[in-house]
Amino acid sequence: MSRRENSASSSISVERAGDSDRGRADTTMHNSSEGTPLLGERSSSPSTPEHLLPAPSQTPTPRRRGGYQSGRRRGQRGSTALGRVSSFDPKWWVQRARYYVPITGWLPNYQASNLVVDVKAGFMVACLLIPQALSYSSLTHLPPAYGLYTALVPALVYGMLGTSRHLSMGPEALISVLTGTLVKGQLKHLYGAYSPGMPPADTVEHFSTAVASAVALLSGLFTFALGMFRLGFLDSMISESSLRGFISGTAIVIIIGQSRIMLGIAAASSVHSTPWNDFKFMLSHLDQTHVMTAIVSLGALLFLRLLRAVKSRFKATTWLQQIPDTLVVIVLTTALSWVAKLGEEHGVVIFGKVDGDLPHFRLPRVPTYADTKDIVSSAITITMIGVVESVIVAREYASRNHYAVSSNRELVALGVSNAVGSAFGAYPAFGSLSRSKLNDRAQAKSQLSGVVTASLVVASLLGLLPYLFHLPRGVLAAIISDAVISLLSATPGAVAFLFKVQAWSDLFLLLFICFCSVAASVETGILLAVIISLVMVIKRSNMPRIKLLGRSTENDNDFYPIDGAPPAAPGTLRRLSFGSSSSNDSQDESGPQSRDNSSSGSLSADTQAQHIDGVLVVRIEEPLYFANAGQLHARLNRMEMYGDMRTHPSEAPRMNPTRAVVFDLVGMSDIDGSALEILLGIVHEYSRREVRVLFVRVCQGVRLRFEQAQMGSAGGEYDFSDIGSALLHLEQQLCIPSSS
């Protein structure tokens, strides 16, 4: 799954759902999907003349600093003409219910004509979900019924709280293997407590299910907290290369584990071993391959891959696309195993008897002998991976079908789904890309399709499991392998793209995290992915975006980045003293001094951006805050010495002493207290060296901060509308003749 593709296609329509503006929920009278106009809009038929429309009953009054505000004072309760409803009014509670519990909005207005489509989509997804749930349970070292519990309860809860119509909740391969790794790691504590004997089978099962339920509860609480604190943007904190490396490594780990099952090789005696050790164990025991198990399992895998290739080749054939391939494989192999008596006469490990029953309510708890710290850390890891995958999938299909999802409300829905599911034996559940794709292909119209899928899971719990008695377990391993091979399909393209654009650091990161996930563990892989991504974010945010500007050789009124213009030939760089045409004084913010090759095209080969002798013209292109302001002083010192950030610091200084610094604050819309203190220190230092400091194009908010901090007393001047007027002022104050 490529997050780059998904994010690009959904960046327009999704994040307008109200994550960043709590007040939007307060002023929305009805759900926009019901056809009611939003507040602030006037509804009319096309034939109604504009002058006959009713005028607003309340005239906006100007604010002190521009803009408008309503005539009602802030904090005043009661209904207004703008539609704000008091919290004492029942309509207020209806609004909140529709916003935070989406089923109360879409179910009363559900169109009966969509029922057939939603039922069909739910059936198609169930044909994929039920076999996957049975298969993925083996990854978690839990009985098969718990995979179905995970497909049931979280899906039902999400159907009530989720904002995505196409996201399919339930067990997912990566989350299952992370849960299984935790369960396997905790089992060593249980076996250690019973050493030198072995714990009873019932004790092992209860211990494993308790660990899985505990991590599901914690994952749900963490996800719920992310949504409540409006941290939905954190899904983009892991870089694409890191995520792709982790997904690829985890897919390889899953294939290694399932290959042993498909070959019929017994498991290693070690409870806690690395994927690399498992791979070496499998290679060293190839002579123990069970031939009949390998034939059936690999044949099932080959059938799934061929059917997938045929579907890809004939995408326009509707009936072919709707064939439930995994269900077909399960039915055929179960029938073959029953007829040929593969379990009784050929030694093939079969599904066996599984008691199917509905889940019972039981509050999760950390079992005795389990390490709480490990469960918490695994819950954090599972939360990060699950949130990233689920939110990306929800955004993708919301964008394709032209409706909006809220990232924060999605996190709340996912969190509550897992927390409730943990009380009914479910392990962590999140959105699945493959099932969501099938749901979209079936043209699901609402969240009802997910409820239909959950209903079919109930039916399978009550009546399906006995019919799977003869199903070879190697076939379940083949189904898992087929799913994770699809996860690997995007990796060669990602590697080729990074190689093509020569993004060596990203390519190394992808391969390194993939290698660590296979050689050590999936926890190591995701830990490295998160740490490296955060370090990259901190490193890049720690460097302020500033550019050194020079005057154009063709027009003294134009200023361009020194590193953006074609370099001057050796020996031809002339130094320009202070001076500017008077016509520059009348230019506004969008004048030539703001132009550079990144926004207005590349400069011609004959144009040079040259230094102004004794003056640094520095443009700050982003708000300053505590993280990126720390390096500002060091970068200014380097500009003073070399006049170009591309010059290596080992070279000798080449610039004349600086007599003035002009800061162009066109991109600095804000500055926090720590950055302001650093900037004041820089101005104080320049004043001590008798270097004039001028600020141009200062926005109103930053100007107010400057006034509060007494920037003028420190030596900074900030009453200039453009660079030209600042240079003219310096020319007059320092009595330097203007350039010819």
Side-chain angles (χ1 to χ4, degrees):
M1 174 181 58
S2 176
R3 184 170 58 182
R4 183 179 295 109
E5 296 173 357
N6 294 336
S7 299
S9 65
S10 59
S11 60
I12 297 177
S13 64
V14 176
E15 286 301 334
R16 300 174 183 173
D19 289 339
S20 61
D21 191 357
R22 183 181 295 270
R24 180 170 177 178
D26 299 335
T27 59
T28 303
M29 288 295 294
H30 298 286
N31 194 318
S32 61
S33 64
E34 300 169 12
T36 305
L38 296 175
L39 292 170
E41 299 176 349
R42 289 185 288 177
S43 176
S44 65
S45 63
S47 60
T48 305
E50 179 69 20
H51 66 280
L52 295 180
L53 291 174
S57 60
Q58 191 165 355
T59 303
T61 56
R63 294 184 183 176
R64 182 169 59 90
R65 286 195 179 131
Y68 293 93
Q69 62 182 2
S70 65
R72 182 174 58 88
R73 292 192 302 271
R74 179 177 294 182
Q76 179 179 345
R77 291 188 178 272
S79 299
T80 70
L82 293 180
R84 183 177 292 274
V85 181
S86 168
S87 60
F88 296 102
D89 193 320
K91 292 183 179 180
W92 187 90
W93 295 100
V94 174
Q95 293 172 8
R96 292 304 190 276
R98 287 179 174 176
Y99 186 81
Y100 292 108
V101 187
I103 193 174
T104 61
W106 62 262
L107 187 58
N109 301 282
Y110 187 80
Q111 298 179 7
S113 59
N114 294 332
L115 181 60
V116 175
V117 179
D118 281 337
V119 171
K120 175 186 173 183
F123 177 80
M124 291 180 62
V125 173
C127 291
L128 176 62
L129 172 60
I130 294 172
Q132 284 187 344
L134 295 172
S135 304
Y136 292 161
S137 62
S138 64
L139 295 175
T140 61
H141 305 284
L142 300 176
Y146 286 87
L148 294 176
Y149 297 162
T150 307
L152 171 59
V153 181
L156 285 175
V157 177
Y158 182 83
M160 294 184 289
L161 302 179
T163 60
S164 173
R165 305 170 192 168
H166 298 88
L167 184 70
S168 176
M169 274 289 286
E172 204 275 333
L174 294 179
I175 303 302
S176 298
V177 75
L178 289 172
T179 304
T181 303
L182 171 67
V183 172
K184 185 178 179 181
Q186 295 305 302
L187 282 174
K188 68 179 181 180
H189 300 302
L190 180 66
Y191 284 109
Y194 279 84
S195 180
M198 294 290 290
D202 290 345
T203 302
V204 173
E205 179 179 330
H206 292 156
F207 180 88
S208 301
T209 56
V211 170
S213 297
V215 75
L217 175 62
L218 290 176
S219 178
L221 294 178
F222 291 152
T223 308
F224 178 80
L226 290 177
M228 291 300 295
F229 288 103
R230 299 186 176 273
L231 300 176
F233 63 89
L234 291 180
D235 67 284
S236 59
M237 293 299 291
I238 302 179
S239 70
E240 173 69 19
S241 299
S242 300
L243 185 62
R244 175 52 54 193
F246 169 73
I247 291 176
S248 302
T250 305
I252 294 174
V253 170
I254 295 174
I255 290 175
I256 291 174
Q258 299 309 304
S259 297
R260 180 190 59 78
I261 298 176
M262 287 190 293
L263 296 177
I265 300 175
S269 58
S270 175
V271 177
H272 190 69
S273 61
T274 65
W276 178 247
N277 290 334
D278 291 341
F279 180 66
K280 293 191 297 183
F281 174 84
M282 183 181 66
L283 292 181
S284 62
H285 291 76
L286 285 177
D287 56 331
Q288 300 179 8
T289 298
H290 192 273
V291 178
M292 185 58 68
T293 299
I295 292 175
V296 174
S297 303
L298 296 178
L301 178 60
L302 180 61
F303 177 83
L304 288 170
R305 299 311 301 173
L306 288 176
L307 186 56
R308 191 179 298 272
V310 171
K311 285 185 175 183
S312 178
R313 175 66 177 82
F314 300 99
K315 293 182 178 180
T317 307
T318 305
W319 67 268
L320 182 62
Q321 299 298 323
Q322 295 179 353
I323 293 178
D325 42 7
T326 54
L327 184 62
V328 170
V329 167
I330 285 181
V331 172
L332 291 179
T333 54
T334 301
L336 175 64
S337 176
W338 175 62
V339 172
K341 298 182 179 180
L342 296 181
E344 296 86 344
E345 298 182 1
H346 299 278
V348 175
V349 179
I350 58 177
F351 194 73
K353 182 180 179 180
V354 177
D355 295 329
D357 195 6
L358 294 179
H360 301 286
F361 178 82
R362 184 176 59 185
L363 289 176
R365 63 178 183 84
V366 178
T368 308
Y369 308 123
D371 190 335
T372 304
K373 183 178 66 175
D374 290 346
I375 295 178
V376 172
S377 62
S378 295
I380 295 174
T381 301
I382 289 172
T383 299
M384 288 187 297
I385 297 300
V387 164
V388 169
E389 286 194 301
S390 301
V391 173
I392 287 174
V393 172
R395 287 177 178 175
E396 165 71 9
Y397 291 103
S399 176
R400 288 187 181 184
N401 294 276
H402 311 292
Y403 65 92
V405 296
S406 165
S407 295
N408 292 322
R409 284 192 290 162
E410 278 295 292
L411 295 181
V412 170
L414 293 171
V416 175
S417 299
N418 277 294
V420 175
S422 67
F424 292 92
Y427 62 86
F430 287 94
S432 166
L433 175 62
S434 59
R435 296 195 301 268
S436 300
K437 183 187 299 183
L438 181 60
N439 207 19
D440 174 64
R441 189 184 303 160
Q443 300 178 345
K445 301 298 183 182
S446 71
Q447 293 89 326
L448 184 62
S449 63
V451 177
V452 172
T453 300
S455 302
L456 294 174
V457 173
V458 172
S460 67
L461 277 168
L462 297 177
L464 175 65
L465 293 181
Y467 295 99
L468 299 179
F469 182 90
H470 294 281
L471 174 65
R473 286 191 176 270
V475 174
L476 295 178
I479 294 173
I480 296 174
S481 300
D482 175 67
V484 298
I485 288 174
S486 300
L487 294 178
L488 282 173
S489 61
T491 302
V495 171
F497 174 81
L498 295 177
F499 187 84
K500 177 181 178 181
V501 300
Q502 299 183 357
W504 308 122
S505 59
D506 289 334
L507 180 59
F508 171 78
L509 186 62
L510 188 155
L511 298 176
F512 176 70
I513 292 178
C514 179
F515 172 78
C516 291
S517 299
V518 175
S521 64
V522 290
E523 294 98 331
T524 303
I526 186 58
L527 182 63
L528 287 174
V530 172
I531 291 177
I532 295 175
S533 296
L534 290 178
V535 169
M536 292 171 61
V537 170
I538 294 172
K539 178 183 177 181
R540 295 185 179 181
S541 64
N542 193 39
M543 300 297 292
R545 292 174 52 197
I546 62 176
K547 286 186 178 180
L548 181 63
L549 303 183
R551 176 174 280 157
S552 169
T553 56
E554 293 187 347
N555 189 341
D556 286 349
N557 299 330
D558 293 351
F559 299 87
Y560 299 95
I562 293 295
D563 59 355
T572 64
L573 181 63
R574 64 182 180 91
R575 290 188 169 86
L576 304 176
S577 61
F578 300 107
S580 176
S581 172
S582 60
S583 64
N584 201 32
D585 298 340
S586 62
Q587 291 173 341
D588 59 13
E589 292 182 354
S590 62
Q593 72 272 12
S594 66
R595 292 187 298 178
D596 60 45
N597 65 316
S598 64
S599 61
S600 59
S602 301
L603 301 180
S604 64
D606 298 330
T607 302
Q608 307 296 330
Q610 298 184 342
H611 295 284
I612 303 173
D613 191 26
V615 179
L616 288 181
V617 181
V618 180
R619 184 169 67 197
I620 301 179
E621 299 184 327
E622 64 180 349
L624 289 180
Y625 65 111
F626 68 94
N628 63 359
Q631 297 292 325
L632 183 60
H633 192 246
R635 300 193 73 187
L636 290 173
N637 286 339
R638 187 170 174 181
M639 287 181 176
E640 281 191 71
M641 296 175 63
Y642 305 107
D644 192 338
M645 291 301 297
R646 297 171 299 180
T647 304
H648 196 274
S650 63
E651 299 185 15
R654 60 182 65 176
M655 299 292 290
N656 287 339
T658 301
R659 303 180 61 185
V661 179
V662 177
F663 289 102
D664 181 9
L665 305 188
V666 62
M668 198 178 88
S669 59
D670 190 21
I671 183 171
D672 71 357
S674 300
L676 183 58
E677 187 175 3
I678 293 173
L679 190 59
L680 274 173
I682 292 173
V683 174
H684 275 298
E685 175 65 20
Y686 279 132
S687 298
R688 187 185 63 81
R689 293 166 45 196
E690 298 183 351
V691 176
R692 302 288 295 273
V693 180
L694 284 70
F695 297 93
V696 305
R697 295 198 282 184
V698 183
C699 72
Q700 184 64 32
V702 175
R703 181 183 297 274
L704 179 60
R705 286 293 186 97
F706 281 4
E707 293 172 355
Q708 294 170 341
Q710 298 181 347
M711 180 66 74
S713 301
E717 305 173 56
Y718 48 89
D719 292 325
F720 303 96
S721 61
D722 52 53
I723 298 175
S725 60
L727 293 179
L728 184 61
H729 174 76
L730 289 173
E731 175 187 320
Q732 295 170 350
Q733 293 292 319
L734 300 180
C735 299
I736 297 179
S738 61
S739 61
S740 56

